[in-house]
mmCIF file of all heavy atoms in Angstrom:
data_model
loop_
_atom_site.group_PDB
_atom_site.id
_atom_site.type_symbol
_atom_site.label_atom_id
_atom_site.label_comp_id
_atom_site.label_asym_id
_atom_site.label_seq_id
_atom_site.Cartn_x
_atom_site.Cartn_y
_atom_site.Cartn_z
ATOM 1 N N ASP A 8 23.238 -56.833 -46.879
ATOM 2 C CA ASP A 8 22.487 -58.091 -46.961
ATOM 3 C C ASP A 8 20.997 -57.885 -46.719
ATOM 4 O O ASP A 8 20.234 -58.831 -46.713
ATOM 5 C CB ASP A 8 23.036 -59.102 -45.948
ATOM 6 C CG ASP A 8 24.542 -59.281 -46.075
ATOM 7 O OD1 ASP A 8 25.008 -59.337 -47.228
ATOM 8 O OD2 ASP A 8 25.234 -59.336 -45.043
ATOM 9 N N LYS A 9 20.619 -56.629 -46.498
ATOM 10 C CA LYS A 9 19.212 -56.299 -46.234
ATOM 11 C C LYS A 9 18.645 -57.102 -45.073
ATOM 12 O O LYS A 9 17.726 -57.910 -45.213
ATOM 13 C CB LYS A 9 18.376 -56.494 -47.486
ATOM 14 C CG LYS A 9 18.814 -55.584 -48.629
ATOM 15 C CD LYS A 9 17.634 -55.233 -49.519
ATOM 16 C CE LYS A 9 17.861 -53.965 -50.280
ATOM 17 N NZ LYS A 9 16.935 -52.928 -50.032
ATOM 18 N N VAL A 10 19.263 -56.896 -43.923
ATOM 19 C CA VAL A 10 18.803 -57.558 -42.702
ATOM 20 C C VAL A 10 18.537 -56.498 -41.633
ATOM 21 O O VAL A 10 19.306 -55.557 -41.490
ATOM 22 C CB VAL A 10 19.873 -58.540 -42.150
ATOM 23 C CG1 VAL A 10 19.380 -59.217 -40.879
ATOM 24 C CG2 VAL A 10 20.240 -59.596 -43.188
ATOM 25 N N ILE A 11 17.442 -56.648 -40.928
ATOM 26 C CA ILE A 11 17.171 -55.781 -39.773
ATOM 27 C C ILE A 11 17.105 -56.655 -38.522
ATOM 28 O O ILE A 11 16.433 -57.680 -38.519
ATOM 29 C CB ILE A 11 15.828 -55.040 -39.924
ATOM 30 C CG1 ILE A 11 15.858 -54.139 -41.154
ATOM 31 C CG2 ILE A 11 15.508 -54.226 -38.666
ATOM 32 C CD1 ILE A 11 14.572 -53.385 -41.393
ATOM 33 N N GLN A 12 17.851 -56.265 -37.478
ATOM 34 C CA GLN A 12 17.747 -56.970 -36.204
ATOM 35 C C GLN A 12 17.218 -56.002 -35.151
ATOM 36 O O GLN A 12 17.757 -54.915 -34.994
ATOM 37 C CB GLN A 12 19.127 -57.469 -35.759
ATOM 38 C CG GLN A 12 19.721 -58.534 -36.679
ATOM 39 C CD GLN A 12 21.199 -58.764 -36.403
ATOM 40 O OE1 GLN A 12 21.576 -59.161 -35.317
ATOM 41 N NE2 GLN A 12 22.032 -58.480 -37.387
ATOM 42 N N ALA A 13 16.192 -56.412 -34.464
ATOM 43 C CA ALA A 13 15.634 -55.566 -33.408
ATOM 44 C C ALA A 13 15.477 -56.393 -32.142
ATOM 45 O O ALA A 13 15.368 -57.617 -32.196
ATOM 46 C CB ALA A 13 14.291 -54.999 -33.841
ATOM 47 N N LYS A 14 15.476 -55.713 -31.005
ATOM 48 C CA LYS A 14 15.482 -56.418 -29.720
ATOM 49 C C LYS A 14 14.205 -56.124 -28.928
ATOM 50 O O LYS A 14 13.885 -54.966 -28.665
ATOM 51 C CB LYS A 14 16.699 -55.943 -28.931
ATOM 52 C CG LYS A 14 16.890 -56.586 -27.569
ATOM 53 C CD LYS A 14 18.250 -56.144 -27.012
ATOM 54 C CE LYS A 14 18.644 -56.827 -25.725
ATOM 55 N NZ LYS A 14 20.019 -56.507 -25.336
ATOM 56 N N ILE A 15 13.507 -57.186 -28.579
ATOM 57 C CA ILE A 15 12.296 -57.032 -27.764
ATOM 58 C C ILE A 15 12.500 -57.762 -26.440
ATOM 59 O O ILE A 15 12.941 -58.917 -26.413
ATOM 60 C CB ILE A 15 11.062 -57.571 -28.514
ATOM 61 C CG1 ILE A 15 10.730 -56.627 -29.672
ATOM 62 C CG2 ILE A 15 9.872 -57.725 -27.561
ATOM 63 C CD1 ILE A 15 9.604 -57.092 -30.549
ATOM 64 N N VAL A 16 12.212 -57.088 -25.343
ATOM 65 C CA VAL A 16 12.463 -57.653 -24.016
ATOM 66 C C VAL A 16 11.150 -57.829 -23.251
ATOM 67 O O VAL A 16 10.322 -56.925 -23.205
ATOM 68 C CB VAL A 16 13.414 -56.737 -23.212
ATOM 69 C CG1 VAL A 16 13.580 -57.240 -21.781
ATOM 70 C CG2 VAL A 16 14.788 -56.648 -23.892
ATOM 71 N N TYR A 17 10.959 -59.022 -22.680
ATOM 72 C CA TYR A 17 9.829 -59.282 -21.779
ATOM 73 C C TYR A 17 10.260 -58.941 -20.364
ATOM 74 O O TYR A 17 11.217 -59.521 -19.847
ATOM 75 C CB TYR A 17 9.393 -60.754 -21.867
ATOM 76 C CG TYR A 17 8.534 -61.049 -23.081
ATOM 77 C CD1 TYR A 17 9.066 -60.969 -24.363
ATOM 78 C CD2 TYR A 17 7.184 -61.381 -22.934
ATOM 79 C CE1 TYR A 17 8.270 -61.218 -25.475
ATOM 80 C CE2 TYR A 17 6.385 -61.641 -24.048
ATOM 81 C CZ TYR A 17 6.924 -61.559 -25.314
ATOM 82 O OH TYR A 17 6.142 -61.807 -26.409
ATOM 83 N N TYR A 18 9.567 -58.000 -19.764
ATOM 84 C CA TYR A 18 9.920 -57.465 -18.460
ATOM 85 C C TYR A 18 8.774 -57.746 -17.488
ATOM 86 O O TYR A 18 7.639 -57.941 -17.901
ATOM 87 C CB TYR A 18 10.098 -55.946 -18.596
ATOM 88 C CG TYR A 18 11.083 -55.315 -17.647
ATOM 89 C CD1 TYR A 18 12.412 -55.176 -18.002
ATOM 90 C CD2 TYR A 18 10.672 -54.838 -16.401
ATOM 91 C CE1 TYR A 18 13.325 -54.568 -17.151
ATOM 92 C CE2 TYR A 18 11.577 -54.237 -15.539
ATOM 93 C CZ TYR A 18 12.901 -54.100 -15.921
ATOM 94 O OH TYR A 18 13.796 -53.493 -15.072
ATOM 95 N N GLY A 19 9.059 -57.732 -16.202
ATOM 96 C CA GLY A 19 7.989 -57.933 -15.217
ATOM 97 C C GLY A 19 8.548 -58.549 -13.957
ATOM 98 O O GLY A 19 9.698 -58.977 -13.934
ATOM 99 N N PRO A 20 7.733 -58.625 -12.892
ATOM 100 C CA PRO A 20 8.235 -59.156 -11.626
ATOM 101 C C PRO A 20 8.565 -60.649 -11.723
ATOM 102 O O PRO A 20 8.123 -61.321 -12.654
ATOM 103 C CB PRO A 20 7.067 -58.930 -10.662
ATOM 104 C CG PRO A 20 5.864 -58.838 -11.529
ATOM 105 C CD PRO A 20 6.321 -58.224 -12.815
ATOM 106 N N GLY A 21 9.336 -61.150 -10.789
ATOM 107 C CA GLY A 21 9.685 -62.564 -10.752
ATOM 108 C C GLY A 21 8.428 -63.423 -10.747
ATOM 109 O O GLY A 21 7.462 -63.085 -10.070
ATOM 110 N N ARG A 22 8.417 -64.513 -11.534
ATOM 111 C CA ARG A 22 7.330 -65.489 -11.524
ATOM 112 C C ARG A 22 6.052 -65.028 -12.200
ATOM 113 O O ARG A 22 5.010 -65.654 -12.037
ATOM 114 C CB ARG A 22 6.988 -65.906 -10.081
ATOM 115 C CG ARG A 22 8.137 -66.544 -9.362
ATOM 116 C CD ARG A 22 7.756 -67.958 -9.001
ATOM 117 N NE ARG A 22 8.899 -68.833 -9.005
ATOM 118 C CZ ARG A 22 8.953 -69.973 -9.675
ATOM 119 N NH1 ARG A 22 7.950 -70.349 -10.414
ATOM 120 N NH2 ARG A 22 10.006 -70.734 -9.605
ATOM 121 N N CYS A 23 6.098 -63.917 -12.952
ATOM 122 C CA CYS A 23 4.861 -63.439 -13.580
ATOM 123 C C CYS A 23 4.550 -64.194 -14.873
ATOM 124 O O CYS A 23 3.448 -64.104 -15.393
ATOM 125 C CB CYS A 23 4.955 -61.940 -13.871
ATOM 126 S SG CYS A 23 6.184 -61.552 -15.120
ATOM 127 N N GLY A 24 5.544 -64.931 -15.400
ATOM 128 C CA GLY A 24 5.283 -65.727 -16.597
ATOM 129 C C GLY A 24 6.031 -65.288 -17.851
ATOM 130 O O GLY A 24 5.649 -65.637 -18.961
ATOM 131 N N LYS A 25 7.128 -64.593 -17.704
ATOM 132 C CA LYS A 25 7.910 -64.150 -18.868
ATOM 133 C C LYS A 25 8.511 -65.343 -19.610
ATOM 134 O O LYS A 25 8.383 -65.455 -20.828
ATOM 135 C CB LYS A 25 9.041 -63.201 -18.429
ATOM 136 C CG LYS A 25 8.556 -61.980 -17.681
ATOM 137 C CD LYS A 25 9.702 -61.148 -17.132
ATOM 138 C CE LYS A 25 10.461 -61.826 -15.999
ATOM 139 N NZ LYS A 25 9.708 -62.008 -14.750
ATOM 140 N N THR A 26 9.168 -66.217 -18.853
ATOM 141 C CA THR A 26 9.781 -67.390 -19.473
ATOM 142 C C THR A 26 8.709 -68.262 -20.125
ATOM 143 O O THR A 26 8.891 -68.759 -21.239
ATOM 144 C CB THR A 26 10.571 -68.190 -18.416
ATOM 145 O OG1 THR A 26 11.620 -67.350 -17.896
ATOM 146 C CG2 THR A 26 11.201 -69.434 -19.013
ATOM 147 N N THR A 27 7.572 -68.395 -19.473
ATOM 148 C CA THR A 27 6.481 -69.205 -20.026
ATOM 149 C C THR A 27 5.992 -68.628 -21.358
ATOM 150 O O THR A 27 5.703 -69.360 -22.297
ATOM 151 C CB THR A 27 5.321 -69.301 -19.012
ATOM 152 O OG1 THR A 27 5.858 -69.688 -17.742
ATOM 153 C CG2 THR A 27 4.286 -70.319 -19.443
ATOM 154 N N ASN A 28 5.922 -67.312 -21.475
ATOM 155 C CA ASN A 28 5.590 -66.679 -22.748
ATOM 156 C C ASN A 28 6.560 -67.110 -23.841
ATOM 157 O O ASN A 28 6.156 -67.532 -24.914
ATOM 158 C CB ASN A 28 5.672 -65.148 -22.621
ATOM 159 C CG ASN A 28 4.324 -64.475 -22.400
ATOM 160 O OD1 ASN A 28 3.600 -64.195 -23.348
ATOM 161 N ND2 ASN A 28 3.985 -64.252 -21.139
ATOM 162 N N LEU A 29 7.845 -67.005 -23.558
ATOM 163 C CA LEU A 29 8.843 -67.347 -24.575
ATOM 164 C C LEU A 29 8.793 -68.831 -24.925
ATOM 165 O O LEU A 29 8.914 -69.206 -26.090
ATOM 166 C CB LEU A 29 10.260 -66.937 -24.133
ATOM 167 C CG LEU A 29 10.789 -65.743 -24.927
ATOM 168 C CD1 LEU A 29 10.009 -64.497 -24.598
ATOM 169 C CD2 LEU A 29 12.277 -65.517 -24.723
ATOM 170 N N GLU A 30 8.594 -69.655 -23.909
ATOM 171 C CA GLU A 30 8.517 -71.100 -24.175
ATOM 172 C C GLU A 30 7.347 -71.431 -25.086
ATOM 173 O O GLU A 30 7.466 -72.258 -25.993
ATOM 174 C CB GLU A 30 8.396 -71.872 -22.852
ATOM 175 C CG GLU A 30 9.728 -71.988 -22.133
ATOM 176 C CD GLU A 30 9.611 -72.521 -20.706
ATOM 177 O OE1 GLU A 30 8.477 -72.596 -20.167
ATOM 178 O OE2 GLU A 30 10.657 -72.844 -20.121
ATOM 179 N N TYR A 31 6.246 -70.761 -24.864
ATOM 180 C CA TYR A 31 5.070 -71.003 -25.706
ATOM 181 C C TYR A 31 5.352 -70.591 -27.155
ATOM 182 O O TYR A 31 5.064 -71.310 -28.098
ATOM 183 C CB TYR A 31 3.858 -70.240 -25.155
ATOM 184 C CG TYR A 31 2.598 -70.507 -25.941
ATOM 185 C CD1 TYR A 31 1.814 -71.624 -25.665
ATOM 186 C CD2 TYR A 31 2.222 -69.668 -26.990
ATOM 187 C CE1 TYR A 31 0.667 -71.886 -26.406
ATOM 188 C CE2 TYR A 31 1.079 -69.930 -27.740
ATOM 189 C CZ TYR A 31 0.311 -71.045 -27.434
ATOM 190 O OH TYR A 31 -0.819 -71.301 -28.189
ATOM 191 N N ILE A 32 5.936 -69.419 -27.317
ATOM 192 C CA ILE A 32 6.260 -68.923 -28.665
ATOM 193 C C ILE A 32 7.245 -69.882 -29.342
ATOM 194 O O ILE A 32 7.081 -70.257 -30.505
ATOM 195 C CB ILE A 32 6.877 -67.504 -28.597
ATOM 196 C CG1 ILE A 32 5.874 -66.518 -28.010
ATOM 197 C CG2 ILE A 32 7.348 -67.046 -29.971
ATOM 198 C CD1 ILE A 32 6.481 -65.195 -27.555
ATOM 199 N N TYR A 33 8.225 -70.305 -28.583
ATOM 200 C CA TYR A 33 9.247 -71.208 -29.118
ATOM 201 C C TYR A 33 8.605 -72.511 -29.609
ATOM 202 O O TYR A 33 8.934 -73.012 -30.679
ATOM 203 C CB TYR A 33 10.282 -71.495 -28.026
ATOM 204 C CG TYR A 33 11.472 -72.280 -28.505
ATOM 205 C CD1 TYR A 33 12.481 -71.673 -29.232
ATOM 206 C CD2 TYR A 33 11.584 -73.649 -28.227
ATOM 207 C CE1 TYR A 33 13.569 -72.383 -29.679
ATOM 208 C CE2 TYR A 33 12.678 -74.365 -28.666
ATOM 209 C CZ TYR A 33 13.670 -73.726 -29.390
ATOM 210 O OH TYR A 33 14.751 -74.446 -29.832
ATOM 211 N N ASP A 34 7.671 -73.041 -28.835
ATOM 212 C CA ASP A 34 6.978 -74.275 -29.197
ATOM 213 C C ASP A 34 6.082 -74.127 -30.405
ATOM 214 O O ASP A 34 6.044 -74.985 -31.268
ATOM 215 C CB ASP A 34 6.082 -74.712 -28.022
ATOM 216 C CG ASP A 34 6.791 -75.703 -27.139
ATOM 217 O OD1 ASP A 34 7.987 -75.943 -27.377
ATOM 218 O OD2 ASP A 34 6.131 -76.224 -26.215
ATOM 219 N N LYS A 35 5.345 -73.034 -30.447
ATOM 220 C CA LYS A 35 4.306 -72.886 -31.461
ATOM 221 C C LYS A 35 4.851 -72.358 -32.775
ATOM 222 O O LYS A 35 4.189 -72.464 -33.799
ATOM 223 C CB LYS A 35 3.209 -71.921 -30.970
ATOM 224 C CG LYS A 35 2.356 -72.483 -29.875
ATOM 225 C CD LYS A 35 1.488 -73.627 -30.367
ATOM 226 C CE LYS A 35 1.107 -74.447 -29.180
ATOM 227 N NZ LYS A 35 0.659 -75.716 -29.171
ATOM 228 N N CYS A 36 5.998 -71.712 -32.744
ATOM 229 C CA CYS A 36 6.481 -71.061 -33.959
ATOM 230 C C CYS A 36 7.803 -71.666 -34.417
ATOM 231 O O CYS A 36 8.714 -70.937 -34.790
ATOM 232 C CB CYS A 36 6.623 -69.560 -33.735
ATOM 233 S SG CYS A 36 5.181 -68.783 -33.023
ATOM 234 N N ARG A 37 7.893 -72.986 -34.396
ATOM 235 C CA ARG A 37 9.164 -73.640 -34.740
ATOM 236 C C ARG A 37 9.710 -73.193 -36.098
ATOM 237 O O ARG A 37 10.905 -73.082 -36.283
ATOM 238 C CB ARG A 37 9.031 -75.168 -34.723
ATOM 239 C CG ARG A 37 8.892 -75.805 -33.342
ATOM 240 C CD ARG A 37 9.827 -75.229 -32.294
ATOM 241 N NE ARG A 37 11.173 -74.969 -32.764
ATOM 242 C CZ ARG A 37 12.242 -75.564 -32.309
ATOM 243 N NH1 ARG A 37 12.140 -76.480 -31.392
ATOM 244 N NH2 ARG A 37 13.424 -75.247 -32.761
ATOM 245 N N LEU A 38 8.819 -72.934 -37.031
ATOM 246 C CA LEU A 38 9.281 -72.557 -38.372
ATOM 247 C C LEU A 38 9.992 -71.215 -38.373
ATOM 248 O O LEU A 38 10.799 -70.938 -39.251
ATOM 249 C CB LEU A 38 8.090 -72.487 -39.334
ATOM 250 C CG LEU A 38 7.551 -73.849 -39.764
ATOM 251 C CD1 LEU A 38 6.320 -73.688 -40.623
ATOM 252 C CD2 LEU A 38 8.633 -74.651 -40.492
ATOM 253 N N GLN A 39 9.670 -70.381 -37.402
ATOM 254 C CA GLN A 39 10.255 -69.041 -37.387
ATOM 255 C C GLN A 39 11.441 -68.926 -36.436
ATOM 256 O O GLN A 39 11.991 -67.852 -36.260
ATOM 257 C CB GLN A 39 9.178 -68.015 -37.035
ATOM 258 C CG GLN A 39 8.269 -67.778 -38.226
ATOM 259 C CD GLN A 39 7.009 -67.058 -37.818
ATOM 260 O OE1 GLN A 39 6.114 -67.639 -37.220
ATOM 261 N NE2 GLN A 39 6.936 -65.791 -38.139
ATOM 262 N N VAL A 40 11.772 -70.032 -35.809
ATOM 263 C CA VAL A 40 12.912 -70.008 -34.889
ATOM 264 C C VAL A 40 13.928 -71.044 -35.349
ATOM 265 O O VAL A 40 13.678 -72.237 -35.273
ATOM 266 C CB VAL A 40 12.479 -70.320 -33.442
ATOM 267 C CG1 VAL A 40 13.652 -70.145 -32.499
ATOM 268 C CG2 VAL A 40 11.320 -69.458 -33.021
ATOM 269 N N ASN A 41 15.041 -70.556 -35.870
ATOM 270 C CA ASN A 41 16.047 -71.487 -36.397
ATOM 271 C C ASN A 41 17.208 -71.620 -35.440
ATOM 272 O O ASN A 41 18.360 -71.572 -35.835
ATOM 273 C CB ASN A 41 16.554 -70.999 -37.744
ATOM 274 C CG ASN A 41 15.420 -70.870 -38.711
ATOM 275 O OD1 ASN A 41 14.678 -71.831 -38.930
ATOM 276 N ND2 ASN A 41 15.227 -69.688 -39.263
ATOM 277 N N SER A 42 16.912 -71.769 -34.184
ATOM 278 C CA SER A 42 17.946 -71.671 -33.181
ATOM 279 C C SER A 42 17.441 -72.353 -31.920
ATOM 280 O O SER A 42 16.243 -72.468 -31.716
ATOM 281 C CB SER A 42 18.157 -70.175 -32.926
ATOM 282 O OG SER A 42 19.395 -69.932 -32.359
ATOM 283 N N GLU A 43 18.352 -72.811 -31.096
ATOM 284 C CA GLU A 43 17.942 -73.324 -29.792
ATOM 285 C C GLU A 43 17.562 -72.152 -28.904
ATOM 286 O O GLU A 43 18.083 -71.063 -29.063
ATOM 287 C CB GLU A 43 19.101 -74.060 -29.127
ATOM 288 C CG GLU A 43 19.574 -75.299 -29.852
ATOM 289 C CD GLU A 43 18.636 -76.465 -29.639
ATOM 290 O OE1 GLU A 43 18.370 -76.804 -28.470
ATOM 291 O OE2 GLU A 43 18.156 -77.011 -30.650
ATOM 292 N N MET A 44 16.679 -72.405 -27.948
ATOM 293 C CA MET A 44 16.393 -71.361 -26.967
ATOM 294 C C MET A 44 17.516 -71.371 -25.942
ATOM 295 O O MET A 44 17.866 -72.409 -25.394
ATOM 296 C CB MET A 44 15.055 -71.642 -26.297
ATOM 297 C CG MET A 44 14.666 -70.649 -25.244
ATOM 298 S SD MET A 44 12.865 -70.709 -24.960
ATOM 299 C CE MET A 44 12.753 -69.882 -23.395
ATOM 300 N N VAL A 45 18.091 -70.198 -25.721
ATOM 301 C CA VAL A 45 19.162 -70.088 -24.728
ATOM 302 C C VAL A 45 18.537 -69.680 -23.410
ATOM 303 O O VAL A 45 17.780 -68.714 -23.361
ATOM 304 C CB VAL A 45 20.165 -68.981 -25.146
ATOM 305 C CG1 VAL A 45 21.175 -68.729 -24.041
ATOM 306 C CG2 VAL A 45 20.864 -69.365 -26.435
ATOM 307 N N THR A 46 18.805 -70.418 -22.350
ATOM 308 C CA THR A 46 18.323 -69.950 -21.053
ATOM 309 C C THR A 46 19.452 -70.030 -20.038
ATOM 310 O O THR A 46 20.091 -71.061 -19.894
ATOM 311 C CB THR A 46 17.118 -70.746 -20.505
ATOM 312 O OG1 THR A 46 17.560 -72.042 -20.160
ATOM 313 C CG2 THR A 46 16.007 -70.868 -21.505
ATOM 314 N N VAL A 47 19.690 -68.910 -19.401
ATOM 315 C CA VAL A 47 20.700 -68.871 -18.351
ATOM 316 C C VAL A 47 19.932 -68.823 -17.043
ATOM 317 O O VAL A 47 19.363 -67.793 -16.682
ATOM 318 C CB VAL A 47 21.610 -67.635 -18.492
ATOM 319 C CG1 VAL A 47 22.771 -67.731 -17.517
ATOM 320 C CG2 VAL A 47 22.124 -67.500 -19.918
ATOM 321 N N LYS A 48 19.866 -69.966 -16.371
ATOM 322 C CA LYS A 48 18.998 -70.037 -15.188
ATOM 323 C C LYS A 48 19.701 -70.693 -14.009
ATOM 324 O O LYS A 48 20.766 -71.292 -14.147
ATOM 325 C CB LYS A 48 17.721 -70.806 -15.531
ATOM 326 C CG LYS A 48 17.981 -72.235 -15.971
ATOM 327 C CD LYS A 48 16.687 -72.890 -16.446
ATOM 328 C CE LYS A 48 16.954 -74.301 -16.909
ATOM 329 N NZ LYS A 48 15.868 -74.889 -17.670
ATOM 330 N N THR A 49 19.086 -70.577 -12.845
ATOM 331 C CA THR A 49 19.631 -71.200 -11.641
ATOM 332 C C THR A 49 19.160 -72.652 -11.581
ATOM 333 O O THR A 49 18.328 -73.078 -12.370
ATOM 334 C CB THR A 49 19.110 -70.510 -10.366
ATOM 335 O OG1 THR A 49 17.691 -70.692 -10.317
ATOM 336 C CG2 THR A 49 19.431 -69.036 -10.358
ATOM 337 N N GLN A 50 19.668 -73.390 -10.618
ATOM 338 C CA GLN A 50 19.249 -74.779 -10.452
ATOM 339 C C GLN A 50 17.756 -74.896 -10.199
ATOM 340 O O GLN A 50 17.115 -75.830 -10.622
ATOM 341 C CB GLN A 50 20.005 -75.375 -9.268
ATOM 342 C CG GLN A 50 21.468 -75.557 -9.584
ATOM 343 C CD GLN A 50 21.961 -76.898 -9.123
ATOM 344 O OE1 GLN A 50 21.638 -77.325 -8.033
ATOM 345 N NE2 GLN A 50 22.729 -77.563 -9.951
ATOM 346 N N GLY A 51 17.231 -73.924 -9.498
ATOM 347 C CA GLY A 51 15.801 -73.970 -9.180
ATOM 348 C C GLY A 51 14.930 -73.476 -10.320
ATOM 349 O O GLY A 51 13.776 -73.150 -10.122
ATOM 350 N N ASP A 52 15.506 -73.419 -11.553
ATOM 351 C CA ASP A 52 14.729 -73.044 -12.725
ATOM 352 C C ASP A 52 14.306 -71.578 -12.753
ATOM 353 O O ASP A 52 13.406 -71.228 -13.498
ATOM 354 C CB ASP A 52 13.467 -73.912 -12.830
ATOM 355 C CG ASP A 52 13.529 -74.773 -14.088
ATOM 356 O OD1 ASP A 52 14.621 -74.826 -14.696
ATOM 357 O OD2 ASP A 52 12.508 -75.366 -14.451
ATOM 358 N N ARG A 53 14.935 -70.762 -11.944
ATOM 359 C CA ARG A 53 14.613 -69.344 -12.037
ATOM 360 C C ARG A 53 15.579 -68.701 -13.031
ATOM 361 O O ARG A 53 16.740 -69.076 -13.099
ATOM 362 C CB ARG A 53 14.802 -68.666 -10.667
ATOM 363 C CG ARG A 53 14.089 -69.330 -9.512
ATOM 364 C CD ARG A 53 12.594 -69.159 -9.593
ATOM 365 N NE ARG A 53 12.172 -67.765 -9.710
ATOM 366 C CZ ARG A 53 11.835 -67.007 -8.686
ATOM 367 N NH1 ARG A 53 11.895 -67.468 -7.474
ATOM 368 N NH2 ARG A 53 11.438 -65.773 -8.882
ATOM 369 N N THR A 54 15.058 -67.721 -13.771
ATOM 370 C CA THR A 54 15.913 -67.053 -14.750
ATOM 371 C C THR A 54 17.003 -66.274 -14.015
ATOM 372 O O THR A 54 16.717 -65.443 -13.168
ATOM 373 C CB THR A 54 15.085 -66.084 -15.613
ATOM 374 O OG1 THR A 54 13.975 -66.800 -16.159
ATOM 375 C CG2 THR A 54 15.923 -65.504 -16.734
ATOM 376 N N LEU A 55 18.256 -66.581 -14.350
ATOM 377 C CA LEU A 55 19.375 -65.919 -13.683
ATOM 378 C C LEU A 55 19.814 -64.698 -14.489
ATOM 379 O O LEU A 55 20.102 -63.643 -13.958
ATOM 380 C CB LEU A 55 20.530 -66.908 -13.558
ATOM 381 C CG LEU A 55 21.822 -66.389 -12.946
ATOM 382 C CD1 LEU A 55 21.588 -65.943 -11.517
ATOM 383 C CD2 LEU A 55 22.885 -67.474 -12.974
ATOM 384 N N PHE A 56 19.849 -64.875 -15.809
ATOM 385 C CA PHE A 56 20.319 -63.797 -16.651
ATOM 386 C C PHE A 56 19.244 -63.448 -17.688
ATOM 387 O O PHE A 56 18.658 -62.388 -17.665
ATOM 388 C CB PHE A 56 21.625 -64.201 -17.321
ATOM 389 C CG PHE A 56 22.536 -63.038 -17.618
ATOM 390 C CD1 PHE A 56 23.910 -63.187 -17.574
ATOM 391 C CD2 PHE A 56 22.021 -61.803 -17.946
ATOM 392 C CE1 PHE A 56 24.748 -62.120 -17.848
ATOM 393 C CE2 PHE A 56 22.853 -60.735 -18.222
ATOM 394 C CZ PHE A 56 24.221 -60.896 -18.174
#
Side-chain angles (χ1 to χ4, degrees):
Chain A
D8 308 319
K9 298 210 157 240
V10 180
I11 298 179
Q12 294 167 61
K14 181 172 186 172
I15 289 176
V16 175
Y17 281 67
Y18 210 91
R22 299 242 148 232
C23 67
K25 302 174 291 293
T26 298
T27 310
N28 261 275
L29 251 68
E30 282 170 348
Y31 183 84
I32 297 165
Y33 187 77
D34 265 6
K35 289 292 158 199
C36 310
R37 288 317 319 243
L38 285 176
Q39 284 165 285
V40 186
N41 302 305
S42 201
E43 296 283 305
M44 179 159 163
V45 173
T46 69
V47 188
K48 61 186 179 194
T49 63
Q50 290 225 317
D52 245 12
R53 308 290 306 266
T54 307
L55 177 62
F56 209 147

